[in-house]
Amino acid sequence: MKLLDVENKVPAVKMGGPSKYNNTFDTKALSDIIILAGKLKAFDCFTWTHSINVANYAYTLANIFDLSSEELNNVYIGALLHDIGKTQIPEVLLKKTSKLTSSEWKIMKTHPRAGVDLLRHSNHLMKSKISDIILHHHERFDGKGYPDSLAGDEIPLAAKIVTVADSFDAMTSKRHYRNPLDKKTAANQILTNAGRQFDPQIALRFVEFIMTDEKLHSPPNQLKKLSGI
């Protein structure tokens, strides 16, 4: 795969017009989502900002794959809450600037299951595909991810979409342990790891979109308001 030959700059997360879908969302489920999103924002503003970016990237990518309105909503919410389990991880590990030890890494890898545990009070969120996104966003296409070592089509499509969005935003954001990568370098990393970390088709479609510097799709208003809680 080759990177598109376009201007090399890191894009702002720009929002375009609404998606082709703009349906309403269940009131009780929305209340549960607001509670969880508020918990994540209160825990760590950096993780919250990252989660908003991932949700916008993932929602846009999901539109490219022509998913249903329900699937699009689930992708946005699952991406927004993908790191909710980190609220159960000691802050000292999340902000550590040096490499994690093997025991610390073992603790860090519990956050997907911890995230699903936080959803268990909500029947809607557990019955939807949202919990699958939270549980499987660190699986790898080659089966070397966690927590279940799923591979290829064993990994839910929505989770594979969020994995790409999550990785791209992580690479292009400043972290405690490194400076951000530029847009072109990050996109190259996505393509280099297609077929290993990422689903090849999803990786290619994401890079094709992101390198054109087009605006991201805007979710339905009920969901868009979540980023401003």
Side-chain angles (χ1 to χ4, degrees), residues 150-208:
L150 302 183
D153 290 339
E154 294 177 331
I155 308 169
L157 174 61
K160 291 191 286 188
I161 287 172
V162 172
T163 296
V164 172
D166 181 26
S167 297
F168 181 80
D169 188 70
M171 286 188 284
T172 55
S173 300
K174 182 175 177 60
R175 293 296 171 113
H176 301 295
Y177 48 88
R178 62 155 176 77
N179 290 322
L181 299 181
D182 62 73
K183 172 184 171 180
K184 189 173 182 179
T185 300
N188 244 328
Q189 285 295 311
I190 295 290
L191 292 183
T192 297
N193 286 285
R196 291 184 287 185
Q197 183 176 359
F198 310 115
D199 182 295
Q201 290 301 315
I202 295 174
L204 179 59
R205 296 298 295 276
F206 180 79
V207 169
E208 286 176 342

